[in-house]
Amino acid sequence: MTRLKAAVITAVTRSTRRRDGTINRTLLAALVWKAKPSPKPIKGISTTDHTVDASRGLWVRLFSPAAVQPGTAIPIIVYFHGGGFAYHSASTLAYDALCRRIAGSAHARVVSVEYRLAPEHRFPAAYDDGFDALRWIDDADVRFSSVFLAGDSAGGNIAHHVARRAVAEKETLRRVRVNGVVEIQPFFGGEEATASELRLDGRVPFGSRESYEWLWRTFLPAGSSLDGKWSNVFGPGSDSGSEDWTDFPATMVIIGGLDLLQDRQRMYCEGIRGRGVEVTAVEYPNAFHGFFVFTELPEAKKMTIDIADFVRTHFSPACS
């Protein structure tokens, strides 16, 4: 049943890709289920939508545990959904459900970011929107004990780069300091295929190097190398190795044993660990890319527990 569901999702995304590199958004909207905000708690979590910048359609969905009083300081997890920079939304049913589960398990408020999508909005739109979501939290009338960045696939990539910017531009943020980063199967790439990409290409759910390269082409500026730091953090076309990594927050990376991108994720872990970053790599041997939206899988439940443990270990008791 899980593989059938994955096949349907793959068929939906592929059917909306046009030959000219654009996406049929009208068809996509008709095929993908969305969840409305629910101020009345569902499974103990209420949700409300908040505009960050109406001029560019930037908004966030706030997930709040109902048992927590509005003025109480608890961790905030800023979440960036996956979809190769081109698909999904903070209101996509699967992501609404995922953020609800994370908020409940971690006993935290989750801020899910509706960032702009490629190819209509290419690099660096998603990164700019992610950082501006932090600015919104910085200015919002909400107390928090600590701030975490999290995301899956492309969202994990965004979480990394927003964290880098949050450290580099910390003087522009009054209250927000990132305590930790959670990257769920982060979307990294490169010009030369890795062993896991060659071994698993086309053989596992959501496992197509051709699709991944198509998504990178829709996001990066035309002619960009996949070995640049935005896709390949420590690649041959990157200057990340010579950059200052002081104060980059503790990072948790979730890796699936059936994910094409697992080798790149391990190389990323090695790279930031070598720069003095505290790294927690969690491996699920039987997990394919995007496994966490399939709630029937035991790894999906374990992931929310592992994220909650990471947040509890790294949160700051100080209130803002």
Side-chain angles (χ1 to χ4, degrees):
M1 182 59 71
T2 299
R3 282 185 173 270
L4 178 59
K5 291 179 183 178
V8 170
I9 295 171
T10 299
V12 167
T13 55
R14 282 187 173 275
S15 68
T16 61
R17 283 168 46 176
R18 297 191 180 106
R19 291 183 179 181
D20 63 359
T22 61
I23 294 172
N24 187 334
R25 297 289 178 193
T26 302
L27 176 60
L28 186 64
L31 296 174
V32 177
W33 289 350
K34 298 291 185 70
K36 295 181 179 180
S38 176
K40 183 178 180 179
I42 298 176
K43 296 183 178 180
I45 307 295
S46 63
T47 57
T48 52
D49 291 348
H50 304 268
T51 299
V52 176
D53 186 344
S55 68
R56 54 179 148 149
L58 175 59
W59 56 272
V60 298
R61 177 161 292 180
L62 175 63
F63 297 76
S64 302
V68 177
Q69 294 300 316
T72 304
I74 60 174
I76 283 181
I77 301 172
V78 184
Y79 196 88
F80 304 104
H81 66 79
F85 302 102
Y87 289 95
H88 298 307
S89 163
S91 63
T92 299
L93 186 62
Y95 279 106
D96 181 89
L98 174 63
C99 289
R100 193 180 300 276
R101 296 199 304 272
I102 292 174
S105 182
H107 192 64
R109 294 185 178 96
V110 174
V111 175
S112 185
V113 183
E114 181 74 352
Y115 57 87
R116 289 170 292 173
L117 299 177
E120 296 89 342
H121 305 283
R122 302 175 77 105
F123 168 91
Y127 301 141
D128 289 344
D129 291 353
F131 188 72
D132 286 344
L134 287 188
R135 293 182 187 273
W136 178 82
I137 294 169
D138 205 44
D139 295 334
D141 184 20
V142 59
R143 298 178 69 203
F144 51 84
S145 61
S146 47
V147 175
F148 293 80
L149 303 183
D152 67 278
S153 195
N157 177 294
I158 295 170
H160 164 81
H161 289 294
V162 171
R164 290 288 283 151
R165 185 170 173 183
V167 172
E169 301 182 24
K170 60 185 177 184
E171 69 281 353
T172 68
L173 300 170
R174 295 180 300 106
R175 300 187 299 155
V176 169
R177 293 293 180 269
V178 179
N179 292 70
V181 183
V182 177
E183 301 176 27
I184 305 167
Q185 300 177 300
F187 188 40
F188 297 125
E191 292 293 333
E192 185 175 348
T194 65
S196 62
E197 289 171 343
L198 293 173
R199 183 176 70 255
L200 297 173
D201 190 16
R203 295 182 173 88
V204 291
F206 309 123
S208 167
R209 181 167 165 80
E210 180 275 329
S211 292
Y212 293 160
E213 291 180 343
W214 186 90
L215 290 166
W216 279 118
R217 289 195 300 271
T218 68
F219 176 65
L220 293 175
S224 296
S225 168
L226 291 186
D227 282 331
K229 72 176 181 180
W230 306 107
S231 52
N232 193 347
V233 177
F234 298 105
S238 168
D239 59 355
S240 297
S242 60
E243 292 179 345
D244 182 7
W245 286 80
T246 304
D247 296 331
F248 191 82
T251 300
M252 175 184 187
V253 181
I254 294 172
I255 301 169
L258 298 178
D259 185 357
L260 260 69
L261 302 178
Q262 61 186 277
D263 286 349
R264 299 196 183 280
Q265 294 152 7
R266 293 189 188 100
M267 288 188 287
Y268 168 78
C269 289
E270 293 171 4
I272 61 174
R273 186 180 286 117
R275 273 76 185 175
V277 177
E278 178 189 335
V279 180
T280 301
V282 181
E283 302 232 9
Y284 302 155
N286 298 319
F288 53 84
H289 199 78
F291 71 94
F292 45 85
V293 302
F294 301 93
T295 55
E296 67 272 17
L297 297 176
E299 292 88 353
K301 181 178 181 180
K302 185 178 186 303
M303 187 190 80
T304 57
I305 295 172
D306 288 342
I307 291 173
D309 288 344
F310 179 82
V311 170
R312 292 190 191 101
T313 301
H314 294 88
F315 88 101
S316 169
C319 298
S320 296

